[in-house]
Amino acid sequence: DADVTQTPRNRITKTGKRIMLECSQTKGHDRMYWYRQDPGLGLRLIYYSFDVKDINKGEISDGYSVSRQAQAKFSLSLESAIPNQTALYFCATRASSNTGELFFGEGSRLTVL
Amino acid sequence: AQSVTQLGSHVSVSEGALVLLRCNYSSSVPPYLFWYVQYPNQGLQLLLKYTTGATLVKGINGFEAEFKKSETSFHLTKPSAHMSDAAEYFCAVSPFPGSQGNLIFGKGTKLSVKP
């Protein structure tokens, strides 16, 4: 089983719908991240959490919200999806004690029509 | 502000040829540097990293990179490309050594390998 699991892996939805992407990890890491990948733009940070009570905005947080339900679970929500949120979303984890290495899930491909 | 620049969004090489993917960074302090690889339909996985010590670092699948402080570069190389190396490669920098600071990613370089 994967150490960082994202669900769903693929989702097609319509404009205005609420969408939740979920991430769970078995690595025991305290830090969790949500990134968005768009062709030619690389990875951009949406939100990150250093522990259950510490959640921070990244560079592109508008239109998104997150919830850290437990150390192992970090979900990303789009309250009212719009077409330019069509992208590949990655969850990642990191131990606070290490040298910065991130461990990624396999991604959730979201299409907003 | 810290930044990472990857020169060339697409690089194409022949099988058996040298692979060179370029990465330059801006940082006011010596950073930690990373290369990640993304195979089709997969997440990113760490290829190699530089933190401290030896400036030539070796990674998985025969890749290596050299940290050159004077050139603010961390180019990725492999002497002989294999078809299985076709993927997208991302350079990343952690501008604050230690546990602080989030990784900043370059925009990626897609490597194609021709038979």
Side-chain angles (χ1 to χ4, degrees), chain B residues 68-83:
Chain B
K68 292 187 176 180
K69 183 179 177 181
S70 61
E71 299 177 7
T72 60
S73 69
F74 190 56
H75 302 330
L76 182 70
T77 60
K78 182 174 180 178
S80 177
H82 192 273
M83 296 295 291

Side-chain angles (χ1 to χ4, degrees), chain A residues 12-61:
Chain A
I12 300 174
T13 190
K14 295 181 178 180
T15 298
K17 293 292 188 181
R18 184 178 188 275
I19 293 296
M20 179 180 286
L21 306 179
E22 298 184 325
C23 177
S24 62
Q25 53 118 344
T26 59
K27 299 193 73 67
H29 291 166
D30 45 3
R31 299 186 179 193
M32 298 188 73
Y33 302 77
W34 276 104
Y35 285 90
R36 169 178 172 159
Q37 184 181 22
D38 298 277
L41 297 181
L43 275 77
R44 293 180 292 168
L45 183 61
I46 306 173
Y47 270 96
Y48 60 103
S49 170
F50 285 175
D51 64 39
V52 174
K53 296 182 180 180
D54 184 2
I55 292 178
N56 304 278
K57 293 182 178 181
E59 61 180 297
I60 56 162
S61 59

Side-chain angles (χ1 to χ4, degrees), chain A residues 31 33 37 94 96 99 102, chain B residues 32 36 38 49 99 101-102:
Chain A
R31 299 186 179 193
Y33 302 77
Q37 184 181 22
R94 175 191 158 187
S96 58
T99 51
L102 291 172
Chain B
Y32 290 173
Y36 282 84
Q38 183 183 25
K49 65 182 178 184
S99 62
N102 296 318

Side-chain angles (χ1 to χ4, degrees), chain B residues 34-54:
Chain B
F34 305 80
W35 276 100
Y36 282 84
V37 59
Q38 183 183 25
Y39 298 105
N41 299 313
Q42 295 187 25
L44 281 72
Q45 64 182 88
L46 184 69
L47 203 54
L48 51 77
K49 65 182 178 184
Y50 167 78
T51 55
T52 58

Side-chain angles (χ1 to χ4, degrees), chain B residues 12-50:
Chain B
S12 182
V13 301
S14 297
E15 192 173 20
L18 171 72
V19 175
L20 170 60
L21 304 182
R22 300 178 186 272
C23 174
N24 289 88
Y25 67 90
S26 67
S27 177
S28 57
V29 297
Y32 290 173
L33 294 157
F34 305 80
W35 276 100
Y36 282 84
V37 59
Q38 183 183 25
Y39 298 105
N41 299 313
Q42 295 187 25
L44 281 72
Q45 64 182 88
L46 184 69
L47 203 54
L48 51 77
K49 65 182 178 184
Y50 167 78

Side-chain angles (χ1 to χ4, degrees), chain A residues 7 9-10 20 25 47 85 91 96:
Chain A
T7 55
R9 293 290 314 279
N10 289 282
M20 179 180 286
Q25 53 118 344
Y47 270 96
Q85 292 177 313
C91 175
S96 58

